[in-house]
C-alpha cells in the first residue's frame, strides 16, 4: 500500500504548477521531504501496522476460539503501547487518497447553508464519473471535511488522476485549485527531531501531557498562549524547524480529539468541554498554522488572540464563518485592532459577539433582538376534538417505530396517500453532522427537483399496499417518547373542512383534522449505526373505519438534517427552559475526566466502524459492535473485540459476560482504557 | 363527468403547488401589497409560529406594516390531493361531486426552507416548515386591481423549526 502511494506521488508532483498555487505548498513539500528521508523506516512501520490490522480483521471473520486465545496471549504479553500505536497507523493507512480542493468558496452556490459544499461535492462526483456511468458505477467521494478554506476529499486511488485533472475547472464561477493532499499524521509530523525518531505513542503521550497541563477543566479553558516559551514543547523540538512547527498544531488538535473521544460519547459533549481558548502571544500574523482550531472547537464562546501580529481582516479571514457562538474576542495588542474598520468588521463577522477587546460592543437587549424572530414564538396551537389527534399521534409514532404494518392496517386505507421529501440543504443545529440520505433519496418527491410527471406519479404512494412497500424499505426509526421529552416535539392541530365523505352521505364534504408535527428521530442504520435527523410531518385525518374512528387521508413527510428544538421553545419560557435542559449534560461534563496524564491509548483507529472501499458490510457492522462494547465497558479495542467475537457478535451476551468477569475480578487492568478504572 | 385520470390529477395538483410556491414566497418578500390576494375569503385557520391571524387581509397588514425585509428560500416542497371532488362554492351553494371538474380539488402543500429576517446576507438563516391547504378560487375575477389566482389558501401553518 505504501509503495503504491509512493509511486503515485511523482505524478502528483509533476504538477508543480498546481502545488505552487496551493496555499499550503510549503507544508506539503516539506512533508514529502520528511517522508522521503524516512521512506524505508516509514514503510517498515506501515507494514507492521498493516499486518496487525489484517490479522485482526481476519479474526473478526473466522471467529474461531483458537484465534481468540492466541490474541489474548499476544495482547497480554506484548507491550500494549506499541501494539496500539501500530493499530492506529494501520487504520490510517486506508486505501483512499486525499485531495485538497481550494478556491471553491464564494461560488454561485455560496448562499446554500453549507456555503455550497454539498454542491461542490456533487459537482466533483459528476466530473469524476464517466459520462455514460450508470448510477451504481458513478464515482463517489467517500469522505470530505473542511480544513481552513479548503475541502479535503477522500477518493479511491483509481480516481486520483482524474481528480487532479479537474484542477482549473470552473465550479459555479470559481476556478478550482485541486492538489494531492498528504495528511500530516501525528507521528510523521514529529518524526525527525534531532535525528532521533520518537514513536507515535511517545509523541502522543507528550502532547497529551501538554494538553492536560494547559487545560483548565473548571473554567473550560484551553490555554495555548505563548507556546514558544513552553519548556516541554522546546524539549520536543517543536520549534526547531518550520515543518514540525506547522504540523504541531493540527497534530495537537488530533490528540485532543482522540483523548476526548475516550471520555465523551457524543461529539456534542466533546465540543461543550471547552468554552475558551487562548492563543495569546504566539507571534501569529495569519491563521494558517492554527486554522484547525475552528474544526476542533466550533462552538467556542471566548477566544483570546491578543498580543499577536494580525495586521488586518484579511489575516483572520479563515475564521470569518467560524465560531458562530463567539461572545468574547480579544485582539488587543494586534496591529489590526487599531484599524478604523476593526470593530464593525468583527461585529459583522460574529453575530453573537458581546465583548471585543474587553469592551462591551453589544448589550444583552441587542443580542436578544438579533435572535428573536419578528414573529413571536408561541406555544403550539392545538384544537383537538375529543382527543382524536392526541390518541392518533401517540399511537402513530410508536407504531411507526415498532410496527409499521400494524399501523397501516389500523388507520390507512386504499385512499390514503403518503409522500416523502428530503430537504438535503436545510439549516442544521450547530455543526451537526449530516448522514447521507441514500436510503431516502430515490423516493424523495421534492417538487423543486422532481419535475417530470412520471416521476411525480411514481413517487406518490397511494393506498395502504403501496405505502407498506415503501415504509418497509425505509430505515428503522426511534422517535423520542412524547410524554418524557415534550420539548423535542412541536405538535399542532386544528379542524379543517371540505374532506371527502367516505360514506357519500354529505356531498359538501365532511370536516377533519389537520395535524402538523415537527420533531426528531434516531435512524437506525445498517450495523446499528444511529443518526439523529429532524422531520416535519403533516397529516390530514378524516372520519373513517380505522382505529379511533379515523382514517389517514394524507401523510406527507419532510426529513432534514437535525435542527434542534430551540426554534419552537416559546419565548416567554426562554429563561426557565434552557436551565432545566442543561442539567444532565452539565453533570456528565463535570464527571468526565478530560485529557489524562497517563498515555491514553487511542480509542479506535481513524475510519474504524466506518464503511470504506474494500471493507465488507459485515466488517463495518462488527467494528461498530466493538465500538459499542468499548463505550459500554471502558475496555480497549482488542479486549472489546475479543469479548464480542467470543460471544458470536451478540452484544447482550458480550455485556453479560463482561459484567460476570468484572465481578470475578478476572479482567487485567490493561483490558481497560486509561482513566476508566 | 368521468373521473379524471391519475396523471391528470397529479399534473394539476403539482403544477398548482409549484405555481403557488413560486409566487407566494416572492410576494412575501417583495410584493407585499398582493399578499391578501393569495387567501380564500373562507380561509380557516392561519397560524404563524402559533399566532392566530384572522384572514389574508390581516396577514398582508402585518407584512406591510410590521415585518422587516425578509428573504425566503424554498429548499424542498411537495403536495398531495386531499379531496379530488372538492365542494367549490358556487353562487347557489356548493358544487356536488357530480358537478366537479378536475380543477375542483383541495391540495395539501408542505414547504421546507429557510428565512432570513433583515436585509444583510450575514444574518442567520432560520429553518422553517410551512403547511398549506389550497382550494380552487370560486370567483371568475380577481380582487380589484389584482391578478386572479387560480388557487387560494384555505389554511396555513408557518413554524420556525431551526
Amino acid at each position: 500500500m505504501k509503495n503504491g502511494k509512493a509511486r503515485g506521488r511523482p505524478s502528483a508532483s509533476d504538477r508543480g504548477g498546481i502545488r505552487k498555487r496551493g496555499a499550503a505548498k510549503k507544508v506539503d513539500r516539506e512533508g514529502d521531504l520528511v517522508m522521503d528521508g524516512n521512506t524505508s523506516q516509514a514503510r517498515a512501520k506501515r507494514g507492521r501496522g498493516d499486518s496487525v490490522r489484517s490479522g485482526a480483521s481476519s479474526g473478526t471473520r473466522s471467529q474461531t476460539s483458537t484465534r481468540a486465545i492466541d490474541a489474548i496471549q499476544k495482547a497480554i504479553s506484548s507491550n500494549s503501547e506499541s501494539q496500539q500505536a501500530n493499530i492506529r497507523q494501520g487504520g490510517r493507512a486506508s486505501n483512499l487518497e486525499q485531495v485538497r480542493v481550494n478556491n471553491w468558496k464564494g461560488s454561485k452556490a455560496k448562499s446554500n447553508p453549507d456555503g455550497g459544499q454539498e454542491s461542490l461535492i456533487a459537482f466533483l462526483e459528476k466530473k469524476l464519473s464517466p459520462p455514460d456511468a450508470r448510477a451504481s458505477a458513478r464515482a463517489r467521494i467517500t469522505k470530505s471535511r473542511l480544513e481552513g478554506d479548503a475541502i479535503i476529499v477522500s477518493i479511491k486511488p483509481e480516481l486520483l488522476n482524474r481528480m487532479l485533472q479537474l484542477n482549473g475547472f470552473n465550479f459555479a464561477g470559481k476556478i478550482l485549485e485541486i492538489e494531492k493532499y498528504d495528511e500530516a499524521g501525528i507521528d510523521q509530523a514529529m518524526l525527525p527531531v534531532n535525528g532521533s525518531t520518537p514513536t507515535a505513542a511517545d509523541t502522543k503521550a507528550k502532547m497529551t501531557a501538554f494538553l492536560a497541563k494547559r487545560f483548565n477543566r473548571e473554567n473550560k479553558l484551553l490555554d495555548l498562549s505563548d507556546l514558544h516559551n513552553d519548556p516541554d514543547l522546546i524539549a520536543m523540538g517543536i520549534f526547531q524547524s518550520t515543518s514540525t512547527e506547522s504540523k504541531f498544531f493540527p497534530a495537537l488538535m488530533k490528540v485532543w480529539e482522540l483523548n476526548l473521544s475516550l471520555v465523551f460519547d457524543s461529539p456534542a459533549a466533546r465540543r461543550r468541554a471547552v468554552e475558551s481558548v487562548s492563543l495569546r502571544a504566539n507571534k501569529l500574523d495569519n491563521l494558517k498554522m492554527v486554522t484547525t482550531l475552528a474544526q476542533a472547537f466550533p462552538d467556542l464562546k471566548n477566544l483570546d488572540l491578543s498580543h499577536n501580529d494580525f495586521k488586518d481582516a484579511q489575516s483572520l479571514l479563515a475564521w470569518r464563518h467560524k465560531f458562530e457562538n463567539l461572545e468574547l474576542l480579544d485582539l488587543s495588542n494586534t496591529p489590526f485592532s487599531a484599524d478604523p474598520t476593526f470593530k464593525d468588521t468583527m461585529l459583522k463577522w460574529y453575530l453573537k459577539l458581546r465583548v471585543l477587546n474587553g469592551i462591551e460592543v453589544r448589550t444583552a437587549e441587542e443580542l436578544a433582538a438579533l435572535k428573536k424572530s419578528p414573529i413571536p414564538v408561541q406555544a403550539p396551537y392545538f384544537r383537538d376534538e375529543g382527543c382524536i389527534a392526541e390518541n392518533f399521534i401517540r399511537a402513530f409514532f410508536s407504531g411507526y417505530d415498532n410496527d409499521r404494518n400494524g399501523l397501516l392496517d389500523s388507520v390507512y386505507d386504499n385512499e390514503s396517500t403518503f409522500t416523502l421529501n428530503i430537504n438535503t440543504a436545510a439549516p442544521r443545529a450547530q455543526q451537526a453532522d449530516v448522514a447521507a440520505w441514500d436510503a431516502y433519496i430515490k423516493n424523495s418527491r421534492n417538487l423543486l427537483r422532481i419535475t417530470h410527471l412520471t416521476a411525480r406519479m411514481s413517487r406518490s404512494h397511494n393506498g395502504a399496499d403501496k405505502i407498506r412497500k415503501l415504509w418497509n424499505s425505509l430505515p428503522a426509526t426511534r422517535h423520542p417518547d412524547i410524554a418524557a421529552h415534550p420539548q423535542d416535539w412541536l405538535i399542532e392541530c386544528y379542524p379543517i373542512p371540505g374532506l371527502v365523505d367516505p360514506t357519500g352521505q354529505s356531498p359538501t364534504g365532511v370536516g377533519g383534522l389537520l395535524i402538523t408535527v415537527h420533531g426528531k428521530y434516531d435512524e437506525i442504520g445498517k450495523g446499528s449505526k444511529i443518526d439523529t435527523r429532524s422531520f416535519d410531518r403533516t397529516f390530514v385525518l378524516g372520519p373513517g373505519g380505522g382505529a379511533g374512528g379515523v382514517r389517514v387521508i394524507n401523510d406527507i413527510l419532510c426529513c432534514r438534517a437535525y435542527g434542534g428544538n430551540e426554534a419552537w421553545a416559546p419565548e416567554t419560557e426562554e429563561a426557565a427552559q434552557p436551565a432545566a435542559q442543561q442539567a444532565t449534560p452539565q453533570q456528565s461534563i463535570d464527571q468526565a475526566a478530560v485529557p489524562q496524564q497517563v498515555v491514553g491509548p487511542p480509542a479506535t483507529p481513524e475510519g474504524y466502524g466506518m464503511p470504506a472501499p474494500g471493507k465488507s458490510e459485515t466488517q463495518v457492522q462488527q467494528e461498530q459492535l466493538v465500538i459499542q462494547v468499548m463505550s459500554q465497558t471502558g475496555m480497549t479495542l482488542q479486549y472489546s473485540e475479543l469479548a464480542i467475537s467470543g460471544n458470536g457478535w451478540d452484544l447482550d451476551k458480550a455485556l453479560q459476560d463482561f459484567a460476570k468477569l468484572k465481578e470475578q475480578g478476572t479482567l487485567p487492568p490493561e483490558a481497560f482504557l486509561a482513566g476508566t478504572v | 363527468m368521468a373521473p379524471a385520470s391519475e396523471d391528470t390529477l397529479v399534473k394539476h395538483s403539482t403544477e398548482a403547488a409549484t405555481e403557488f410556491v413560486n409566487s407566494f414566497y416572492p410576494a412575501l418578500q417583495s410584493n407585499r401589497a398582493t399578499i391578501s390576494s393569495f387567501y380564500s375569503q373562507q380561509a380557516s385557520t392561519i397560524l404563524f409560529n402559533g399566532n392566530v391571524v384572522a384572514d389574508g387581509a390581516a396577514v398582508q397588514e402585518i407584512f406591510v406594516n410590521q415585518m422587516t425585509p425578509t428573504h425566503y428560500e424554498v429548499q424542498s416542497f411537495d403536495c398531495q390531493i386531499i379531496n379530488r371532488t372538492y365542494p367549490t362554492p358556487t353562487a347557489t351553494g356548493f358544487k356536488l361531486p357530480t358537478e366537479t371538474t378536475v380543477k375542483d380539488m383541495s391540495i395539501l402543500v408542505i414547504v421546507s426552507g429557510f428565512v432570513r429576517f433583515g436585509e444583510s446576507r450575514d444574518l442567520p438563516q432560520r429553518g422553517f416548515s410551512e403547511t398549506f391547504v389550497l382550494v380552487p378560487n370560486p370567483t371568475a375575477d380577481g380582487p380589484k386591481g389584482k391578478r386572479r389566482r387560480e388557487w387560494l389558501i384555505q389554511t396555513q401553518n408557518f413554524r420556525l423549526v431551526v
Side-chain angles (χ1 to χ4, degrees):
Chain A
M1 195 181 300
K2 173 70 201 174
N3 285 332
K5 264 193 168 173
R7 236 179 283 123
R9 191 166 292 115
S11 73
S13 48
D14 287 343
R15 305 176 174 280
I18 302 171
R19 286 181 172 261
K20 269 182 199 134
R21 248 171 286 146
K25 74 176 184 211
K26 204 171 174 194
V27 175
D28 278 346
R29 200 167 271 171
E30 281 175 15
D32 285 346
L33 283 172
V34 168
M35 291 185 61
D36 292 343
N38 289 276
T39 311
S40 59
Q41 195 173 16
R43 191 179 297 157
K45 270 176 80 180
R46 193 63 63 82
R48 270 210 317 276
D50 283 346
S51 73
V52 169
R53 181 188 161 84
S54 58
S57 53
S58 73
T60 61
R61 273 179 231 115
S62 73
Q63 301 176 26
T64 59
S65 54
T66 8
R67 229 205 68 76
I69 292 161
D70 283 345
I72 288 176
Q73 280 167 344
K74 206 170 152 193
I76 292 171
S77 63
S78 70
N79 174 337
S80 62
E81 220 175 79
S82 62
Q83 183 88 348
Q84 278 145 0
N86 281 341
I87 288 223
R88 201 192 60 73
Q89 284 175 350
R92 214 187 55 246
S94 65
N95 44 0
L96 289 180
E97 293 285 359
Q98 297 199 356
V99 172
R100 183 204 305 270
V101 182
N102 246 317
N103 198 38
W104 64 280
K105 284 210 161 162
S107 75
K108 285 174 199 152
K110 69 169 182 245
S111 61
N112 295 351
D114 62 353
Q117 193 180 343
E118 204 171 322
S119 313
L120 173 67
I121 299 294
F123 171 83
L124 292 173
E125 285 182 338
K126 197 174 152 206
K127 295 290 173 196
L128 283 175
S129 308
D132 54 345
R134 300 175 61 89
S136 56
R138 223 169 269 156
R140 290 294 296 270
I141 288 175
T142 322
K143 266 201 297 195
S144 66
R145 69 189 151 86
L146 286 171
E147 197 173 296
D149 283 339
I151 291 189
I152 313 296
V153 299
S154 301
I155 47 168
K156 291 187 188 171
E158 59 265 34
L159 293 174
L160 181 64
N161 280 340
R162 176 76 189 127
M163 181 64 124
L164 293 173
Q165 284 164 9
L166 300 182
N167 181 52
F169 270 49
N170 184 329
F171 163 66
K174 299 292 281 186
I175 304 299
L176 296 177
E177 292 168 9
I178 298 179
E179 59 182 1
K180 192 163 179 297
Y181 175 81
D182 291 311
E183 189 178 16
I186 299 157
D187 46 345
Q188 286 165 9
M190 298 304 137
L191 270 178
V193 181
N194 300 330
S196 71
T197 51
T199 65
D202 184 41
T203 306
K204 198 159 84 64
K206 286 183 176 154
M207 287 197 177
T208 302
F210 169 78
L211 284 167
K213 181 178 77 176
R214 294 298 196 111
F215 182 59
N216 182 328
R217 232 180 90 193
E218 215 166 296
N219 297 328
K220 302 185 174 187
L221 164 69
L222 185 59
D223 180 359
L224 301 175
S225 63
D226 205 11
L227 297 176
H228 288 81
N229 290 321
D230 187 286
D232 296 336
L233 298 186
I234 293 170
M236 286 171 78
I238 298 295
F239 304 110
Q240 285 181 4
S241 83
T242 42
S243 163
T244 45
E245 187 176 339
S246 66
K247 285 170 179 176
F248 164 70
F249 206 85
L252 190 71
M253 290 299 103
K254 213 169 262 184
V255 172
W256 171 265
E257 291 193 341
L258 275 173
N259 277 297
L260 228 57
S261 61
L262 298 177
V263 178
F264 300 108
D265 281 346
S266 76
R270 258 171 262 162
R271 286 196 296 261
R272 277 195 298 265
V274 174
E275 283 183 356
S276 311
V277 168
S278 171
L279 282 167
R280 189 176 195 270
N282 278 311
K283 304 176 191 164
L284 297 170
D285 62 2
N286 65 63
L287 295 169
K288 263 180 205 159
M289 206 169 92
V290 294
T291 183
T292 43
L293 186 84
Q295 275 91 58
F297 308 107
D299 297 335
L300 215 57
K301 282 188 179 155
N302 310 307
L303 179 59
D304 184 352
L305 294 172
S306 65
H307 298 269
N308 279 300
D309 300 328
F310 300 112
K311 273 198 304 292
D312 47 22
Q314 192 64 31
S315 60
L316 295 166
L317 204 60
W319 283 351
R320 173 173 182 170
H321 296 283
K322 305 296 190 310
F323 305 123
E324 281 175 21
N325 296 304
L326 200 64
E327 294 177 8
L328 197 145
L329 176 64
D330 197 341
L331 274 160
S332 56
N333 290 297
T334 63
F336 179 36
S337 66
D339 190 302
T341 64
F342 169 66
K343 184 182 155 189
D344 286 344
T345 308
M346 292 300 102
L347 280 173
K348 200 176 162 201
W349 285 14
Y350 302 108
L351 296 173
K352 294 181 183 169
L353 192 65
R354 211 164 39 78
V355 178
L356 180 63
N357 292 6
I359 297 162
E360 182 177 77
V361 287
R362 271 196 192 102
T363 63
E365 289 77 39
E366 283 170 322
L367 281 170
L370 263 178
K371 199 181 148 202
K372 246 171 120 170
S373 111
I375 314 165
V377 175
Q378 304 287 351
Y381 182 91
F382 201 82
R383 301 287 181 276
D384 203 352
E385 284 177 357
C387 292
I388 290 173
E390 193 184 327
N391 292 336
F392 168 80
I393 289 296
R394 281 186 202 290
F396 182 88
F397 287 100
S398 80
Y400 191 78
D401 288 347
N402 301 310
D403 181 14
R404 290 182 189 166
N405 288 318
L407 179 63
L408 282 162
D409 293 337
S410 95
V411 278
Y412 288 72
D413 62 24
N414 287 335
E415 306 297 323
S416 304
T417 304
F418 172 80
T419 54
L420 165 75
N421 69 97
I422 305 299
N423 181 354
T424 53
R428 56 198 66 168
Q430 294 164 12
Q431 308 291 327
D433 300 322
V434 187
W437 292 103
D438 301 17
Y440 303 81
I441 209 75
K442 61 179 185 292
N443 290 299
S444 172
R445 196 179 187 247
N446 176 359
L447 297 177
L448 276 183
R449 298 184 185 199
I450 306 302
T451 50
H452 285 96
L453 182 61
T454 44
R456 287 178 168 188
M457 289 178 71
S458 67
R459 289 171 193 228
S460 177
H461 306 271
N462 306 325
D465 291 340
K466 284 191 181 146
I467 300 172
R468 190 184 315 271
K469 211 173 146 199
L470 175 62
W471 280 11
N472 287 331
S473 78
L474 290 176
T477 53
R478 201 183 306 129
H479 292 78
D481 183 79
I482 300 175
H485 304 280
Q487 75 279 5
D488 285 335
W489 296 83
L490 184 101
I491 305 172
E492 302 192 290
C493 164
Y494 52 85
I496 56 161
L499 308 182
V500 72
D501 180 2
T503 66
Q505 286 171 357
S506 169
T508 56
V510 292
L513 290 169
L514 183 85
I515 304 174
T516 53
V517 184
H518 310 285
K520 67 167 186 180
Y521 66 94
D522 283 341
E523 174 184 319
I524 302 141
K526 286 175 183 161
S528 17
K529 183 171 168 286
I530 290 176
D531 296 304
T532 304
R533 305 189 186 276
S534 282
F535 73 93
D536 310 296
R537 197 162 191 161
T538 297
F539 302 93
V540 175
L541 298 189
V550 296
R551 54 185 285 260
V552 174
I553 299 172
N554 305 93
D555 173 359
I556 188 163
L557 171 64
C558 173
C559 299
R560 53 189 166 81
Y562 178 60
N565 57 19
E566 290 83 9
W568 58 70
E571 280 165 16
T572 44
E573 293 169 34
E574 212 166 41
Q577 225 166 5
Q581 282 173 14
Q582 271 171 15
T584 349
Q586 196 67 40
Q587 240 167 12
S588 66
I589 287 173
D590 290 345
Q591 284 162 3
V594 188
Q596 306 293 324
Q597 291 285 354
V598 200
V599 189
T604 55
E606 197 176 306
Y608 191 85
M610 301 288 283
K615 211 192 249 188
S616 72
E617 186 65 32
T618 319
Q619 191 185 343
V620 175
Q621 286 176 11
Q622 290 177 344
E623 289 178 355
Q624 285 170 354
L625 283 165
V626 172
I627 293 173
Q628 287 194 31
V629 175
M630 287 176 73
S631 75
Q632 297 200 28
T633 64
M635 288 200 298
T636 62
L637 187 141
Q638 290 103 315
Y639 276 87
S640 298
E641 189 184 322
L642 291 172
I644 187 137
S645 61
N647 279 294
W649 299 98
D650 183 322
L651 183 61
D652 288 341
K653 273 193 201 158
L655 293 176
Q656 282 165 17
D657 218 21
F658 167 78
K660 217 186 319 172
L661 290 171
K662 197 181 177 191
E663 207 183 288
Q664 294 166 355
T666 45
L667 289 165
E670 64 265 27
F672 294 94
L673 295 164
T676 52
V677 274
Chain B
M1 168 167 280
S5 65
E6 203 58 37
D7 55 347
T8 314
L9 290 165
V10 170
K11 185 174 189 294
H12 266 85
S13 58
T14 55
E15 283 175 359
T18 306
E19 158 68 19
F20 170 75
V21 166
N22 288 344
S23 53
F24 183 67
Y25 288 98
L28 291 182
Q29 205 163 308
S30 54
N31 202 2
R32 293 179 172 176
T34 66
I35 288 176
S36 71
S37 70
F38 285 89
Y39 290 82
S40 159
Q41 293 300 308
Q42 285 80 35
S44 68
T45 312
I46 299 169
L47 293 171
F48 285 85
N49 279 345
N51 300 280
V52 183
V53 182
D55 53 22
V59 175
Q60 178 169 319
E61 198 276 329
I62 290 168
F63 271 81
V64 168
N65 297 320
Q66 299 173 35
M67 203 61 165
T68 50
T70 306
H71 174 79
Y72 286 89
E73 193 93 12
V74 173
Q75 296 173 307
S76 184
F77 74 98
D78 189 14
C79 76
Q80 294 179 4
I81 298 169
I82 302 174
N83 185 349
R84 56 181 66 181
T85 53
Y86 183 77
T88 308
T90 62
T92 53
F94 295 93
K95 281 194 190 174
L96 296 173
T98 47
E99 297 164 344
T100 57
T101 71
V102 66
K103 288 183 175 174
D104 294 302
M105 58 166 82
S106 53
I107 305 167
L108 178 67
V109 182
I110 187 170
V111 182
S112 179
F114 69 81
V115 57
R116 213 165 39 217
F117 297 112
E119 266 166 310
S120 165
R121 294 184 70 85
D122 288 317
L123 288 165
Q125 299 175 350
R126 306 290 309 272
F128 73 89
S129 170
E130 191 157 24
T131 295
F132 300 90
V133 174
L134 303 182
V135 293
N137 186 349
T139 60
D141 311 308
K144 211 171 186 180
K146 289 173 187 166
R147 191 179 135 205
R148 179 183 180 275
R149 302 188 188 278
E150 222 173 319
W151 299 93
L152 300 176
I153 298 169
Q154 181 205 49
T155 171
Q156 171 184 18
N157 187 356
F158 171 93
R159 267 287 172 183
L160 287 175
V161 291
V162 182

